[in-house]
Amino acid sequence: MSASNILLIYADKQTPRLEYIVSTLFQGEASITNQLEEFKRYSGARINYSSNTIEGITCHIYPHGLLQENNITEQEINIIQWKGYPAFFETAGSISFDLFSAAFYLITRYEEWLPHQKDELGRYQPEQSLAYQNGFLQFPLVNYWLAQLTTALNIRMPYHFSFKPSYDIDIAYSYLHHNSIRNTLGYFKHLIQLKFNRVVERLQVLAGVQKDPYDIYDWLHLLHDSLQLKPLYFFLISAKRDALHKNVSPESAAMQALMIAHGKKYTVGLHPSVAQKNTLIKEKKNLEQIIQQPVKHSRQHYIYLNFPDTYETLANAGIEADHSMGYSQINGFRASYTKRFNWFNLATNQSTSLVIFPFCYMDATVIFNEKKTVGEAAQVLAEMYSFYKQYGGDFIPIFHNNFLTLQPDFIEWRNMYADFLLKHCTK
Protein backbone atom coordinates (compact mmCIF):
# COMPACT_ATOMS: atom_id res chain seq x y z
CA MET A 1 0.00 0.00 0.00
CA SER A 2 1.59 3.26 -1.13
CA ALA A 3 1.89 6.01 1.44
CA SER A 4 -0.08 8.25 -0.90
CA ASN A 5 -3.07 5.90 -0.96
CA ILE A 6 -5.93 6.75 1.35
CA LEU A 7 -8.25 3.80 0.80
CA LEU A 8 -7.88 0.02 0.84
CA ILE A 9 -10.49 -2.20 -0.80
CA TYR A 10 -10.79 -5.90 -0.08
CA ALA A 11 -12.02 -8.07 -2.93
CA ASP A 12 -11.78 -11.84 -3.03
CA LYS A 13 -11.84 -11.58 -6.84
CA GLN A 14 -9.63 -8.96 -8.50
CA THR A 15 -10.61 -8.40 -12.11
CA PRO A 16 -9.69 -5.90 -14.86
CA ARG A 17 -13.12 -4.31 -14.53
CA LEU A 18 -12.81 -3.80 -10.79
CA GLU A 19 -9.28 -2.46 -11.10
CA TYR A 20 -10.42 -0.05 -13.81
CA ILE A 21 -13.36 1.44 -11.95
CA VAL A 22 -11.43 1.78 -8.69
CA SER A 23 -8.60 3.53 -10.50
CA THR A 24 -11.05 5.78 -12.37
CA LEU A 25 -13.12 6.80 -9.37
CA PHE A 26 -10.33 7.20 -6.85
CA GLN A 27 -7.69 8.54 -9.27
CA GLY A 28 -4.91 6.30 -8.00
CA GLU A 29 -5.67 6.99 -4.34
CA ALA A 30 -6.97 3.49 -3.59
CA SER A 31 -5.57 -0.02 -3.69
CA ILE A 32 -7.21 -3.43 -3.92
CA THR A 33 -6.10 -6.47 -1.97
CA ASN A 34 -7.28 -10.07 -1.73
CA GLN A 35 -5.22 -10.61 1.42
CA LEU A 36 -7.74 -10.62 4.24
CA GLU A 37 -5.25 -10.27 7.08
CA GLU A 38 -3.53 -7.33 5.41
CA PHE A 39 -6.94 -5.72 5.00
CA LYS A 40 -7.84 -6.25 8.66
CA ARG A 41 -4.55 -4.71 9.83
CA TYR A 42 -4.86 -1.59 7.71
CA SER A 43 -5.61 1.47 9.86
CA GLY A 44 -6.96 3.76 7.13
CA ALA A 45 -10.28 3.90 5.32
CA ARG A 46 -11.50 0.50 4.13
CA ILE A 47 -14.22 -0.97 1.92
CA ASN A 48 -15.20 -4.60 1.95
CA TYR A 49 -16.10 -5.47 -1.64
CA SER A 50 -16.99 -9.11 -1.23
CA SER A 51 -19.97 -11.33 -0.50
CA ASN A 52 -18.73 -12.00 3.05
CA THR A 53 -19.21 -9.86 6.11
CA ILE A 54 -15.95 -8.84 7.80
CA GLU A 55 -16.16 -7.96 11.46
CA GLY A 56 -15.35 -4.34 12.24
CA ILE A 57 -15.77 -3.11 8.66
CA THR A 58 -18.68 -0.70 8.43
CA CYS A 59 -18.54 -0.04 4.67
CA HIS A 60 -19.60 -3.15 2.81
CA ILE A 61 -20.41 -3.10 -0.92
CA TYR A 62 -21.82 -6.47 -1.92
CA PRO A 63 -20.79 -7.35 -5.52
CA HIS A 64 -23.54 -7.52 -8.11
CA GLY A 65 -21.46 -9.68 -10.44
CA LEU A 66 -20.92 -7.36 -13.44
CA LEU A 67 -17.29 -6.71 -12.55
CA GLN A 68 -16.57 -10.43 -12.32
CA GLU A 69 -17.87 -11.05 -15.86
CA ASN A 70 -15.78 -11.01 -19.03
CA ASN A 71 -18.51 -10.75 -21.64
CA ILE A 72 -21.17 -8.23 -22.65
CA THR A 73 -24.71 -9.32 -21.79
CA GLU A 74 -28.06 -7.68 -21.17
CA GLN A 75 -28.26 -6.56 -17.54
CA GLU A 76 -31.40 -6.44 -15.41
CA ILE A 77 -31.81 -2.85 -14.24
CA ASN A 78 -34.15 -1.98 -11.39
CA ILE A 79 -33.99 1.58 -10.13
CA ILE A 80 -33.92 2.21 -6.39
CA GLN A 81 -33.34 5.41 -4.42
CA TRP A 82 -30.11 5.97 -2.50
CA LYS A 83 -29.63 9.17 -0.53
CA GLY A 84 -32.27 10.92 -2.59
CA TYR A 85 -31.04 9.95 -6.06
CA PRO A 86 -31.41 6.96 -8.40
CA ALA A 87 -29.21 3.89 -8.08
CA PHE A 88 -29.29 0.36 -9.48
CA PHE A 89 -27.76 -3.10 -9.07
CA GLU A 90 -29.33 -3.42 -5.62
CA THR A 91 -27.42 -5.71 -3.24
CA ALA A 92 -27.32 -6.56 0.45
CA GLY A 93 -24.32 -4.59 1.74
CA SER A 94 -24.27 -1.61 4.08
CA ILE A 95 -24.56 0.42 0.87
CA SER A 96 -27.75 -0.81 -0.75
CA PHE A 97 -26.36 -1.18 -4.28
CA ASP A 98 -23.12 -2.16 -5.98
CA LEU A 99 -21.78 1.33 -6.54
CA PHE A 100 -18.70 0.07 -8.38
CA SER A 101 -20.69 -1.99 -10.89
CA ALA A 102 -23.24 0.77 -11.44
CA ALA A 103 -20.48 3.35 -12.03
CA PHE A 104 -18.73 0.94 -14.41
CA TYR A 105 -21.97 0.40 -16.34
CA LEU A 106 -22.47 4.15 -16.83
CA ILE A 107 -18.89 5.26 -17.47
CA THR A 108 -18.10 2.51 -19.99
CA ARG A 109 -21.45 3.20 -21.73
CA TYR A 110 -22.21 -0.50 -21.36
CA GLU A 111 -25.76 -0.05 -22.65
CA GLU A 112 -24.43 1.33 -25.94
CA TRP A 113 -22.59 -1.93 -26.57
CA LEU A 114 -25.91 -3.77 -26.44
CA PRO A 115 -28.41 -3.88 -29.36
CA HIS A 116 -30.14 -0.51 -29.74
CA GLN A 117 -31.93 1.78 -32.17
CA LYS A 118 -29.85 4.28 -34.14
CA ASP A 119 -30.92 7.61 -35.58
CA GLU A 120 -30.75 8.60 -39.24
CA LEU A 121 -27.00 9.21 -38.97
CA GLY A 122 -26.32 5.89 -37.28
CA ARG A 123 -25.89 7.30 -33.77
CA TYR A 124 -27.13 6.06 -30.42
CA GLN A 125 -30.34 7.82 -29.44
CA PRO A 126 -30.09 9.31 -25.92
CA GLU A 127 -33.77 8.67 -25.22
CA GLN A 128 -32.87 4.97 -24.89
CA SER A 129 -30.37 5.64 -22.13
CA LEU A 130 -30.86 4.78 -18.50
CA ALA A 131 -30.00 8.37 -17.57
CA TYR A 132 -32.66 9.89 -19.82
CA GLN A 133 -35.38 7.42 -18.88
CA ASN A 134 -34.77 7.89 -15.16
CA GLY A 135 -34.31 11.64 -15.08
CA PHE A 136 -30.61 12.01 -14.33
CA LEU A 137 -29.16 12.86 -17.74
CA GLN A 138 -28.59 16.46 -16.64
CA PHE A 139 -26.95 15.37 -13.38
CA PRO A 140 -23.50 13.74 -12.88
CA LEU A 141 -24.84 10.83 -10.87
CA VAL A 142 -21.56 8.92 -10.53
CA ASN A 143 -19.89 11.99 -9.01
CA TYR A 144 -22.73 12.26 -6.51
CA TRP A 145 -22.45 8.62 -5.50
CA LEU A 146 -18.70 8.98 -5.06
CA ALA A 147 -19.06 12.16 -3.00
CA GLN A 148 -21.52 10.43 -0.66
CA LEU A 149 -19.20 7.43 -0.32
CA THR A 150 -16.06 9.45 0.44
CA THR A 151 -17.95 11.58 2.95
CA ALA A 152 -19.10 8.45 4.77
CA LEU A 153 -15.51 7.16 4.76
CA ASN A 154 -14.24 10.55 5.96
CA ILE A 155 -11.71 10.82 3.16
CA ARG A 156 -10.99 13.66 0.76
CA MET A 157 -10.17 12.98 -2.86
CA PRO A 158 -7.81 15.12 -4.96
CA TYR A 159 -9.72 18.01 -6.53
CA HIS A 160 -9.01 19.36 -9.99
CA PHE A 161 -11.12 21.81 -11.99
CA SER A 162 -10.35 23.53 -15.26
CA PHE A 163 -12.33 25.41 -17.86
CA LYS A 164 -11.42 25.21 -21.53
CA PRO A 165 -13.73 26.67 -24.16
CA SER A 166 -13.77 24.61 -27.33
CA TYR A 167 -14.87 25.34 -30.86
CA ASP A 168 -15.89 23.11 -33.73
CA ILE A 169 -14.98 24.84 -36.98
CA ASP A 170 -17.47 23.14 -39.26
CA ILE A 171 -17.83 26.13 -41.61
CA ALA A 172 -14.87 28.46 -41.28
CA TYR A 173 -16.32 31.15 -43.57
CA SER A 174 -19.86 31.77 -44.72
CA TYR A 175 -19.07 33.19 -48.18
CA LEU A 176 -15.36 33.70 -48.60
CA HIS A 177 -13.04 30.99 -49.96
CA HIS A 178 -15.89 28.71 -51.07
CA ASN A 179 -16.16 27.78 -54.73
CA SER A 180 -18.16 30.00 -57.07
CA ILE A 181 -20.86 27.37 -57.65
CA ARG A 182 -21.69 27.28 -53.94
CA ASN A 183 -21.88 31.05 -53.74
CA THR A 184 -24.01 31.32 -56.87
CA LEU A 185 -26.48 28.69 -55.63
CA GLY A 186 -26.57 30.32 -52.20
CA TYR A 187 -27.28 33.72 -53.77
CA PHE A 188 -30.30 32.46 -55.70
CA LYS A 189 -31.54 30.38 -52.76
CA HIS A 190 -31.69 33.46 -50.53
CA LEU A 191 -33.23 35.46 -53.34
CA ILE A 192 -36.03 32.92 -53.78
CA GLN A 193 -36.55 32.79 -50.02
CA LEU A 194 -36.79 36.61 -50.00
CA LYS A 195 -33.90 36.83 -47.53
CA PHE A 196 -32.67 40.08 -49.00
CA ASN A 197 -30.48 40.90 -46.00
CA ARG A 198 -28.50 37.74 -46.68
CA VAL A 199 -28.29 38.56 -50.40
CA VAL A 200 -26.87 41.99 -49.60
CA GLU A 201 -24.53 40.53 -46.96
CA ARG A 202 -23.13 37.98 -49.42
CA LEU A 203 -22.52 40.60 -52.11
CA GLN A 204 -20.83 42.99 -49.68
CA VAL A 205 -18.57 40.28 -48.27
CA LEU A 206 -17.55 39.05 -51.73
CA ALA A 207 -16.94 42.65 -52.80
CA GLY A 208 -14.67 43.21 -49.80
CA VAL A 209 -16.96 45.85 -48.29
CA GLN A 210 -17.58 43.95 -45.04
CA LYS A 211 -16.05 41.07 -43.09
CA ASP A 212 -17.30 37.53 -43.53
CA PRO A 213 -19.84 36.99 -40.71
CA TYR A 214 -18.28 33.68 -39.64
CA ASP A 215 -14.85 35.26 -39.31
CA ILE A 216 -15.04 35.95 -35.58
CA TYR A 217 -11.55 34.68 -34.82
CA ASP A 218 -10.07 38.02 -33.80
CA TRP A 219 -12.93 38.57 -31.36
CA LEU A 220 -12.33 35.13 -29.83
CA HIS A 221 -8.58 35.80 -29.61
CA LEU A 222 -9.31 39.01 -27.69
CA LEU A 223 -11.56 37.17 -25.24
CA HIS A 224 -9.06 34.37 -24.72
CA ASP A 225 -6.10 36.71 -24.27
CA SER A 226 -7.87 39.05 -21.86
CA LEU A 227 -9.19 36.19 -19.73
CA GLN A 228 -6.08 33.99 -20.05
CA LEU A 229 -7.99 31.09 -21.54
CA LYS A 230 -6.48 28.17 -23.43
CA PRO A 231 -9.17 26.94 -25.82
CA LEU A 232 -9.35 23.90 -28.06
CA TYR A 233 -10.16 24.20 -31.76
CA PHE A 234 -11.40 21.24 -33.81
CA PHE A 235 -11.21 21.66 -37.59
CA LEU A 236 -13.33 19.74 -40.07
CA ILE A 237 -11.07 19.10 -43.05
CA SER A 238 -13.11 16.58 -45.00
CA ALA A 239 -12.18 16.29 -48.65
CA LYS A 240 -15.82 15.72 -49.62
CA ARG A 241 -18.64 18.27 -49.79
CA ASP A 242 -22.17 17.20 -48.92
CA ALA A 243 -25.01 18.02 -46.53
CA LEU A 244 -22.89 17.04 -43.51
CA HIS A 245 -19.52 18.40 -44.65
CA LYS A 246 -19.74 22.06 -45.67
CA ASN A 247 -16.40 23.50 -44.67
CA VAL A 248 -13.97 25.35 -46.90
CA SER A 249 -11.68 22.92 -48.70
CA PRO A 250 -8.54 22.03 -46.74
CA GLU A 251 -6.65 22.72 -49.98
CA SER A 252 -7.66 26.37 -49.76
CA ALA A 253 -4.74 28.66 -48.87
CA ALA A 254 -7.02 30.70 -46.61
CA MET A 255 -8.21 27.62 -44.75
CA GLN A 256 -4.67 26.40 -44.27
CA ALA A 257 -3.56 29.82 -43.05
CA LEU A 258 -6.39 29.80 -40.52
CA MET A 259 -5.39 26.40 -39.16
CA ILE A 260 -1.70 27.31 -39.05
CA ALA A 261 -2.43 30.50 -37.11
CA HIS A 262 -4.53 28.62 -34.56
CA GLY A 263 -1.97 25.83 -34.28
CA LYS A 264 0.69 28.35 -33.28
CA LYS A 265 -1.47 29.80 -30.53
CA TYR A 266 -3.79 27.04 -29.27
CA THR A 267 -4.36 23.29 -29.16
CA VAL A 268 -5.76 22.16 -32.50
CA GLY A 269 -7.60 18.88 -32.85
CA LEU A 270 -9.24 16.94 -35.66
CA HIS A 271 -12.97 16.98 -36.34
CA PRO A 272 -13.22 13.73 -38.31
CA SER A 273 -15.72 13.24 -41.09
CA VAL A 274 -18.90 11.38 -40.21
CA ALA A 275 -18.41 7.61 -40.58
CA GLN A 276 -14.71 8.40 -40.87
CA LYS A 277 -13.19 4.95 -40.44
CA ASN A 278 -11.60 4.89 -43.90
CA THR A 279 -10.60 8.56 -43.99
CA LEU A 280 -9.48 9.34 -40.44
CA ILE A 281 -5.77 8.59 -40.86
CA LYS A 282 -5.62 10.57 -44.10
CA GLU A 283 -7.39 13.56 -42.51
CA LYS A 284 -5.15 13.42 -39.44
CA LYS A 285 -1.98 13.33 -41.55
CA ASN A 286 -3.29 16.18 -43.70
CA LEU A 287 -3.95 18.36 -40.64
CA GLU A 288 -0.54 17.51 -39.19
CA GLN A 289 1.18 18.46 -42.42
CA ILE A 290 -0.68 21.76 -42.54
CA ILE A 291 -0.01 22.88 -38.95
CA GLN A 292 3.39 21.15 -38.75
CA GLN A 293 2.76 19.47 -35.42
CA PRO A 294 1.25 16.22 -34.10
CA VAL A 295 -2.52 16.07 -33.74
CA LYS A 296 -3.46 14.29 -30.51
CA HIS A 297 -7.02 15.47 -29.87
CA SER A 298 -10.26 14.75 -31.70
CA ARG A 299 -13.98 15.34 -31.49
CA GLN A 300 -16.37 13.55 -33.81
CA HIS A 301 -18.33 15.63 -36.30
CA TYR A 302 -22.03 15.45 -35.37
CA ILE A 303 -20.79 13.46 -32.34
CA TYR A 304 -20.79 10.33 -34.47
CA LEU A 305 -19.73 7.94 -31.71
CA ASN A 306 -20.19 4.18 -31.96
CA PHE A 307 -18.67 1.48 -29.76
CA PRO A 308 -16.10 0.11 -30.22
CA ASP A 309 -15.39 1.23 -33.79
CA THR A 310 -14.92 4.94 -33.21
CA TYR A 311 -12.48 4.65 -30.32
CA GLU A 312 -10.58 1.76 -31.86
CA THR A 313 -10.12 3.79 -35.04
CA LEU A 314 -8.93 6.82 -33.09
CA ALA A 315 -6.48 4.81 -31.01
CA ASN A 316 -5.07 3.08 -34.08
CA ALA A 317 -4.59 6.48 -35.73
CA GLY A 318 -2.55 7.79 -32.82
CA ILE A 319 -5.20 10.02 -31.24
CA GLU A 320 -4.51 10.28 -27.51
CA ALA A 321 -7.58 12.20 -26.27
CA ASP A 322 -11.16 12.34 -27.52
CA HIS A 323 -13.84 14.91 -26.66
CA SER A 324 -16.96 13.21 -28.03
CA MET A 325 -18.45 11.80 -24.81
CA GLY A 326 -21.73 13.66 -24.90
CA TYR A 327 -24.85 13.88 -27.05
CA SER A 328 -25.55 16.24 -29.90
CA GLN A 329 -29.30 15.60 -29.61
CA ILE A 330 -29.68 16.49 -25.90
CA ASN A 331 -27.34 18.25 -23.52
CA GLY A 332 -26.32 16.30 -20.45
CA PHE A 333 -23.85 13.83 -19.00
CA ARG A 334 -23.62 10.87 -21.36
CA ALA A 335 -21.37 8.93 -18.96
CA SER A 336 -22.96 10.47 -15.82
CA TYR A 337 -19.48 11.70 -14.86
CA THR A 338 -17.58 14.98 -15.07
CA LYS A 339 -13.97 13.85 -14.96
CA ARG A 340 -11.64 12.55 -17.66
CA PHE A 341 -11.18 8.80 -17.83
CA ASN A 342 -9.45 6.17 -19.92
CA TRP A 343 -11.58 4.28 -22.37
CA PHE A 344 -12.35 0.72 -21.28
CA ASN A 345 -12.73 -1.60 -24.25
CA LEU A 346 -15.44 -4.05 -23.25
CA ALA A 347 -14.65 -6.22 -26.27
CA THR A 348 -11.16 -6.96 -24.97
CA ASN A 349 -12.10 -6.41 -21.30
CA GLN A 350 -9.13 -4.08 -20.84
CA SER A 351 -8.48 -0.44 -20.12
CA THR A 352 -6.76 1.53 -22.89
CA SER A 353 -4.53 4.60 -23.05
CA LEU A 354 -7.14 6.67 -24.93
CA VAL A 355 -8.27 9.48 -22.61
CA ILE A 356 -11.93 10.56 -22.75
CA PHE A 357 -12.96 14.12 -21.87
CA PRO A 358 -16.75 14.26 -21.38
CA PHE A 359 -18.75 17.31 -22.45
CA CYS A 360 -22.27 18.22 -21.38
CA TYR A 361 -23.13 21.42 -23.27
CA MET A 362 -23.17 22.33 -26.96
CA ASP A 363 -24.59 25.53 -28.41
CA ALA A 364 -26.07 23.86 -31.50
CA THR A 365 -28.01 21.51 -29.25
CA VAL A 366 -29.73 24.20 -27.19
CA ILE A 367 -30.44 26.30 -30.29
CA PHE A 368 -31.70 23.72 -32.77
CA ASN A 369 -32.60 20.54 -30.88
CA GLU A 370 -33.80 21.75 -27.50
CA LYS A 371 -34.96 25.09 -28.96
CA LYS A 372 -34.26 26.98 -25.76
CA THR A 373 -34.30 30.73 -25.43
CA VAL A 374 -31.02 32.54 -24.88
CA GLY A 375 -31.94 33.02 -21.21
CA GLU A 376 -32.79 29.34 -20.74
CA ALA A 377 -29.54 28.29 -22.42
CA ALA A 378 -27.56 30.62 -20.16
CA GLN A 379 -29.12 28.92 -17.13
CA VAL A 380 -28.21 25.47 -18.48
CA LEU A 381 -24.63 26.54 -19.17
CA ALA A 382 -24.28 28.03 -15.68
CA GLU A 383 -25.73 24.92 -14.05
CA MET A 384 -23.38 22.60 -15.93
CA TYR A 385 -20.46 24.82 -14.98
CA SER A 386 -21.51 24.64 -11.31
CA PHE A 387 -21.51 20.83 -11.37
CA TYR A 388 -17.92 20.82 -12.61
CA LYS A 389 -16.94 23.38 -10.00
CA GLN A 390 -18.53 21.23 -7.29
CA TYR A 391 -17.22 17.83 -8.34
CA GLY A 392 -14.13 18.70 -10.37
CA GLY A 393 -13.18 17.85 -13.92
CA ASP A 394 -12.40 19.63 -17.17
CA PHE A 395 -15.39 21.74 -18.19
CA ILE A 396 -15.17 21.86 -21.99
CA PRO A 397 -18.41 23.18 -23.53
CA ILE A 398 -18.73 23.22 -27.31
CA PHE A 399 -19.33 26.34 -29.40
CA HIS A 400 -19.30 27.04 -33.12
CA ASN A 401 -17.96 30.14 -34.82
CA ASN A 402 -21.05 30.33 -37.04
CA PHE A 403 -23.35 30.62 -34.00
CA LEU A 404 -21.34 33.42 -32.37
CA THR A 405 -21.70 35.99 -35.13
CA LEU A 406 -23.03 39.54 -35.25
CA GLN A 407 -25.88 38.41 -37.49
CA PRO A 408 -29.38 39.20 -36.11
CA ASP A 409 -30.19 35.50 -35.50
CA PHE A 410 -27.12 34.93 -33.35
CA ILE A 411 -25.95 38.18 -31.77
CA GLU A 412 -27.83 37.41 -28.54
CA TRP A 413 -26.07 34.03 -28.36
CA ARG A 414 -22.74 35.76 -28.88
CA ASN A 415 -23.49 38.23 -26.09
CA MET A 416 -24.62 35.44 -23.76
CA TYR A 417 -21.37 33.59 -24.31
CA ALA A 418 -19.27 36.70 -23.70
CA ASP A 419 -21.23 37.44 -20.52
CA PHE A 420 -20.62 33.89 -19.29
CA LEU A 421 -16.88 34.19 -19.85
CA LEU A 422 -16.67 37.58 -18.18
CA LYS A 423 -18.65 36.36 -15.17
CA HIS A 424 -16.80 33.09 -14.58
CA CYS A 425 -13.33 33.68 -15.97
CA THR A 426 -12.40 37.20 -14.92
CA LYS A 427 -9.37 36.98 -12.68
Side-chain angles (χ1 to χ4, degrees):
M1 185 78 173
S2 168
S4 63
N5 293 134
I6 59 175
L7 174 66
L8 184 61
I9 299 168
Y10 172 75
D12 46 14
K13 294 182 180 179
Q14 292 181 246
T15 68
R17 292 182 176 186
L18 176 60
E19 291 171 356
Y20 168 78
I21 199 61
V22 167
S23 175
T24 298
L25 295 180
F26 297 104
Q27 303 171 64
E29 296 292 333
S31 291
I32 305 170
T33 182
N34 59 6
Q35 301 299 311
L36 185 57
E37 294 306 315
E38 173 194 356
F39 180 71
K40 289 180 177 179
R41 289 194 303 268
Y42 183 63
S43 59
R46 294 174 291 179
I47 296 175
N48 171 18
Y49 187 68
S50 74
S51 56
N52 300 312
T53 300
I54 301 174
E55 185 177 355
I57 305 301
T58 58
C59 186
H60 181 194
I61 298 177
Y62 195 104
H64 161 269
L66 178 65
L67 302 186
Q68 285 73 47
E69 296 175 359
N70 297 316
N71 54 353
I72 306 167
T73 58
E74 197 78 40
Q75 301 292 318
E76 182 178 350
I77 306 289
N78 295 306
I79 298 295
I80 62 171
Q81 292 295 306
W82 184 69
K83 297 186 179 294
Y85 282 86
F88 55 98
F89 292 152
E90 185 176 13
T91 53
S94 62
I95 293 175
S96 57
F97 73 110
D98 184 347
L99 187 153
F100 293 156
S101 287
F104 180 86
Y105 184 89
L106 293 173
I107 288 175
T108 62
R109 302 304 306 129
Y110 194 101
E111 60 191 343
E112 295 191 42
W113 292 72
L114 300 170
H116 58 266
Q117 293 294 317
K118 298 181 183 295
D119 69 6
E120 66 279 2
L121 294 181
R123 301 172 301 183
Y124 181 82
Q125 298 182 69
E127 293 85 357
Q128 301 172 97
S129 69
L130 196 64
Y132 179 89
Q133 294 178 2
N134 292 280
F136 61 87
L137 180 58
Q138 281 75 41
F139 182 71
L141 186 60
V142 173
N143 294 89
Y144 176 79
W145 291 340
L146 184 61
Q148 296 299 311
L149 177 62
T150 55
T151 298
L153 291 168
N154 195 30
I155 59 176
R156 296 184 64 182
M157 299 301 302
Y159 176 83
H160 163 80
F161 167 80
S162 73
F163 168 62
K164 286 181 179 292
S166 71
Y167 307 95
D168 289 350
I169 310 302
D170 299 340
I171 312 176
Y173 299 96
S174 181
Y175 310 119
L176 290 179
H177 314 302
H178 291 279
N179 63 53
S180 58
I181 295 175
R182 183 184 187 276
N183 269 312
T184 301
L185 291 175
Y187 171 85
F188 284 108
K189 177 183 177 181
H190 287 149
L191 199 61
I192 293 170
Q193 294 173 339
L194 304 181
K195 294 182 178 180
F196 300 118
N197 60 326
R198 299 298 295 274
V199 172
V200 171
E201 181 182 66
R202 184 187 299 271
L203 292 175
Q204 289 185 332
V205 169
L206 294 177
V209 176
Q210 74 175 71
K211 196 173 186 179
D212 189 288
Y214 292 0
D215 184 358
I216 64 162
Y217 307 108
D218 289 341
W219 177 72
L220 289 176
H221 295 336
L222 181 63
L223 281 174
H224 300 150
D225 289 346
S226 62
L227 299 174
Q228 300 178 32
L229 296 173
K230 297 180 180 179
L232 300 164
Y233 281 83
F234 296 91
F235 284 93
L236 178 68
I237 62 166
S238 171
K240 60 183 175 182
R241 296 291 169 271
D242 56 28
L244 301 181
H245 307 87
K246 302 178 181 179
N247 211 351
V248 177
S249 169
E251 303 304 316
S252 161
M255 186 67 182
Q256 292 189 6
L258 182 69
M259 292 187 285
I260 290 169
H262 281 77
K264 290 178 178 178
K265 193 174 180 66
Y266 308 118
T267 298
V268 165
L270 181 65
H271 204 40
S273 302
V274 173
Q276 82 294 348
K277 189 169 185 179
N278 297 323
T279 62
L280 175 68
I281 293 178
K282 183 178 180 180
E283 290 179 3
K284 179 175 179 287
K285 287 182 177 179
N286 191 13
L287 181 56
E288 289 175 333
Q289 289 174 352
I290 292 170
I291 65 174
Q292 289 295 294
Q293 56 183 285
V295 172
K296 299 179 180 180
H297 294 256
S298 72
R299 178 155 60 226
Q300 304 307 294
H301 189 35
Y302 281 87
I303 314 299
Y304 184 85
L305 176 58
N306 283 287
F307 294 93
D309 291 352
T310 301
Y311 284 157
E312 285 182 341
T313 302
L314 292 176
N316 291 337
I319 294 293
E320 297 178 4
D322 186 67
H323 300 257
S324 311
M325 184 53 70
Y327 295 118
S328 65
Q329 304 96 318
I330 303 173
N331 278 317
F333 298 90
R334 187 167 182 167
S336 303
Y337 194 53
T338 63
K339 299 180 182 180
R340 70 182 75 176
F341 56 90
N342 288 74
W343 176 49
F344 189 92
N345 188 339
L346 287 171
T348 62
N349 208 45
Q350 293 292 329
S351 179
T352 73
S353 61
L354 180 65
V355 180
I356 308 304
F357 288 84
F359 77 89
C360 59
Y361 180 93
M362 179 161 62
D363 58 359
T365 304
V366 292
I367 296 171
F368 299 109
N369 294 72
E370 299 175 340
K371 301 186 185 303
K372 293 186 182 296
T373 65
V374 174
E376 290 169 341
Q379 291 178 351
V380 172
L381 182 59
E383 182 178 24
M384 297 302 186
Y385 177 87
S386 69
F387 283 136
Y388 274 83
K389 285 287 286 186
Q390 178 180 358
Y391 294 117
D394 304 279
F395 184 54
I396 309 177
I398 305 174
F399 297 91
H400 295 77
N401 61 302
N402 51 314
F403 304 141
L404 295 171
T405 74
L406 289 170
Q407 295 169 303
D409 289 345
F410 296 109
I411 190 168
E412 289 187 12
W413 295 96
R414 173 186 174 111
N415 292 337
M416 182 273 281
Y417 177 53
D419 289 343
F420 171 83
L421 293 182
L422 293 172
K423 178 179 180 181
H424 295 285
C425 302
T426 301
K427 304 297 182 182

